[in-house]
Amino acid sequence: MDERLIRKIQREGAEALLDAGVSLPLLDLRIPLRKQPVRVRLTMKRPTLARQIKIAHAYLTMDTTAADLDAMDVDGQMRFLARHGKTLSNIIALTMDCRWLPVCVLSWLVRHRMKWEYQKAAFREFVLLMGTQSFMTIIRSAEMTNPMRLRLSRGRKGS
């Protein structure tokens, strides 16, 4: 494997571990008298529980997996985009860490300004990170500290 690719994978893993998020380019602004455009980027981070529930609901209504999206040809991708484009942009907007913009405005910006390749990559990346593994320790901890469960020292009397 190429050394640059290995370093890129390691850097992305370290950013995920540090919860730095994944930076996605939103749009390029051309400014007069400047050679290169200014690139506006937003960071896709692990969302809150409320946003995860909204994302899970939207994802399940699409009835498509990331593997299905990769396996589609151009015709299939166009049908998918026509059918679920708004939902997809809403999912991406819900993962963005942007407190100064409402989700509906951010979703509109993703739909109208972000390139399709970046949207596909963001969707694929988020589906890989989405899961319930992070909640398993919380569930186990709540089970252990259940105040209604009998304690070991009071097994005979029950009080």
Side-chain angles (χ1 to χ4, degrees), residues 38-56:
V38 174
R39 180 167 279 176
V40 177
R41 301 178 75 86
L42 289 175
T43 304
M44 186 174 80
K45 289 190 173 187
R46 253 178 237 117
T48 61
L49 180 60
R51 285 189 173 201
Q52 280 188 358
I53 292 169
K54 288 178 185 178
I55 290 166

Side-chain angles (χ1 to χ4, degrees), residues 117-131:
E117 295 85 27
Y118 296 133
Q119 290 181 22
K120 273 190 347 186
F123 180 71
R124 189 179 320 109
E125 187 73 26
F126 181 75
V127 168
L128 290 176
L129 292 176
M130 185 75 167

Side-chain angles (χ1 to χ4, degrees), residues 85-133:
K86 192 170 184 176
T87 307
L88 181 67
S89 66
N90 202 13
I91 288 173
I92 294 170
L94 284 168
T95 63
M96 296 292 176
D97 185 40
C98 187
R99 290 176 176 80
W100 49 273
L101 275 178
V103 173
C104 58
V105 174
L106 195 56
S107 178
W108 184 88
L109 281 172
V110 167
R111 255 193 321 276
H112 290 276
R113 297 293 177 199
M114 188 181 284
K115 293 181 181 176
W116 169 240
E117 295 85 27
Y118 296 133
Q119 290 181 22
K120 273 190 347 186
F123 180 71
R124 189 179 320 109
E125 187 73 26
F126 181 75
V127 168
L128 290 176
L129 292 176
M130 185 75 167
T132 59
Q133 280 80 15

